[in-house]
Amino acid sequence: MAAKKSVTVRILDQNFNISTDADSVRVQKIADFLNKNLQQVMAKSKTVSPHNAAIMAALNITEKYFDAIEKQSKFKSHVTEKSKKILDLLESSGQ
C-alpha cells in the first residue's frame, strides 16, 4: 500500500493541499479538469458565485460521466452482439 503524500493543486486561484496515495500527476490533471470546468461556467455568467459555479460544474461533469457510461454500455452490448454472431457463423460453418 502506497504511503499518502500531500499534493497541492490550484483551483480558482486558491491552493488546496490534498492528502492522497494517487499519482501526483493524475491528481493535478483532475484538478486542472475541474478548474477548467469551473472557469467555463464562470465565464458564461459573470455574476455567478464560486459556490454556484461549483454546483454547475459538478452537474456538467456528472452529465459527461453519465454519457460516457451510456456509451460504454452501448459499445459493450454491440461487441457482445457481434461476438455472438461471429461465434454462430463459426459454429455453423464447422458442421
Side-chain angles (χ1 to χ4, degrees):
M1 185 170 164
K4 291 205 181 256
K5 58 186 169 283
S6 181
V7 178
T8 302
V9 296
R10 191 159 182 82
I11 300 172
L12 293 181
D13 297 325
Q14 187 174 354
N15 288 332
F16 293 90
N17 293 315
I18 300 171
S19 179
T20 183
D21 55 359
D23 178 59
S24 59
V25 172
R26 179 178 168 81
V27 172
Q28 188 60 54
K29 284 182 180 180
I30 292 168
D32 291 345
F33 179 81
L34 174 59
N35 195 45
K36 178 182 171 191
N37 277 270
L38 287 165
Q39 289 174 342
Q40 288 173 345
V41 168
M42 294 184 82
K44 289 180 183 175
S45 176
K46 302 287 183 196
T47 60
V48 70
S49 70
H51 177 263
N52 288 344
I55 292 170
M56 293 304 299
L59 287 170
N60 292 341
I61 292 167
T62 303
E63 180 181 23
K64 291 175 187 176
Y65 172 75
F66 274 82
D67 288 347
I69 288 173
E70 288 172 11
K71 285 179 184 176
Q72 179 187 26
S73 178
K74 287 178 184 178
F75 179 75
K76 185 177 178 181
S77 294
H78 178 75
V79 168
T80 300
E81 179 185 325
K82 292 292 184 186
S83 297
K84 285 179 183 177
K85 286 181 181 180
I86 291 169
L87 183 59
D88 290 344
L89 285 171
L90 288 171
E91 288 174 346
S92 67
S93 68
Q95 292 181 356

